[in-house]
Amino acid sequence: MRRAIDGTEGIDMPMAPAKAREEESATQPAIGPDATMAEILHAYPTAKIALFIRYHIGGCSSCSYQLTDTLAEVHQNYNIKDTLETVLAAVRQSASVEAKVHISRQELASALQRGEGLRLLDTRSTSEWQAGHLVGARPITVELTFNALDSWSKETQIVFYSNKGRRSLDKAAYFQAYGFTNARSLDGGIQDWPGRLEPPLTVALP
């Protein structure tokens, strides 16, 4: 059964550089089965993305957990087949998992200059899209999302972007959870994009 697609509207919080997040994970405190999800996400902020990609939990309204739930309760409530130790290991290694979902502005710019056949998908609102977007990009509507999940090759190179990288990271993780291993998120968004943007759309007067 296909899960509900979250909307793309909302606050786009700035993302810390992937390398910095990975380095920070080395000093995070230990956690156990009785830790609440709030405690786990505080200690390992990258766990939300990694757990969604691996277990399809915590990414949308139909698979969300309460922050007061313990990891053991989430393990039981969502019938996770892996052992609790395996889930704990996934949490501890979550920084490296999330880091692979990111693509830097420099990497994307170089890929576009080389003419790589990747798909650029804009996760922002219609008004944000109309205010300016990357050349060659398409807005990721619900219809396009369903079409992509149903018919695109799982090897398709996809780069999602938003203003600062939060919304695009969620969408890239969503696609990765459905087997799109080359779905990535533009790190830091397009707020400081070095290349040109398409101008706002114009409507011809009658």
Side-chain angles (χ1 to χ4, degrees):
M1 181 180 294
R2 182 186 289 150
R3 290 177 174 79
I5 305 287
D6 285 348
T8 57
E9 301 280 350
I11 298 174
D12 195 17
M13 299 298 291
M15 297 297 297
K19 183 177 180 182
R21 291 193 301 274
E22 189 167 2
E23 290 174 348
E24 288 172 2
S25 69
T27 60
Q28 297 296 345
I31 55 170
D34 294 329
T36 66
M37 295 308 297
E39 292 169 336
I40 288 171
L41 295 179
H42 177 74
Y44 295 88
T46 52
K48 179 181 178 181
I49 294 297
L51 290 174
F52 181 63
I53 290 175
R54 182 159 181 165
Y55 299 115
H56 292 242
I57 58 171
C60 57
S61 58
S62 63
C63 62
S64 61
Y65 42 73
Q66 299 298 315
L67 292 178
T68 53
D69 292 343
T70 65
L71 185 63
E73 289 172 335
V74 170
H75 181 267
Q76 180 178 7
N77 293 342
Y78 290 92
N79 299 312
I80 297 175
K81 303 304 180 184
D82 285 346
T83 66
L84 267 170
E85 259 322 302
T86 300
V87 178
L88 284 167
V91 169
R92 297 185 188 107
Q93 298 163 7
S94 60
S96 61
V97 172
E98 186 186 303
K100 295 176 182 177
V101 186
H102 290 262
I103 182 171
S104 70
R105 297 187 187 97
Q106 293 75 17
E107 289 175 313
L108 177 58
S110 296
L112 293 174
Q113 289 176 352
R114 293 192 299 269
E116 293 186 12
L118 54 81
R119 297 177 188 253
L120 282 174
L121 299 179
D122 190 315
T123 67
R124 302 172 304 156
S125 67
T126 299
S127 61
E128 289 171 311
W129 162 266
Q130 291 176 342
H133 51 271
L134 295 186
V135 178
R138 297 174 65 185
I140 182 67
T141 61
V142 171
E143 181 180 6
L144 179 57
T145 297
F146 283 144
N147 178 264
L149 293 175
D150 289 339
S151 62
W152 290 8
S153 167
K154 291 295 191 291
E155 286 73 44
T156 303
Q157 294 188 60
I158 307 171
V159 175
F160 296 94
Y161 70 85
S162 54
N163 287 332
K164 298 181 180 179
R166 178 72 260 176
R167 285 173 285 176
S168 58
L169 180 60
D170 288 344
K171 186 63 74 171
Y174 186 93
F175 269 64
Q176 285 230 359
Y178 280 94
F180 287 82
T181 55
N182 293 319
R184 302 174 77 183
S185 168
L186 180 60
D187 209 5
I190 64 167
Q191 57 180 348
D192 296 316
W193 178 248
R196 75 181 183 88
L197 302 178
E198 290 283 4
L201 301 179
T202 57
V203 179
L205 296 176

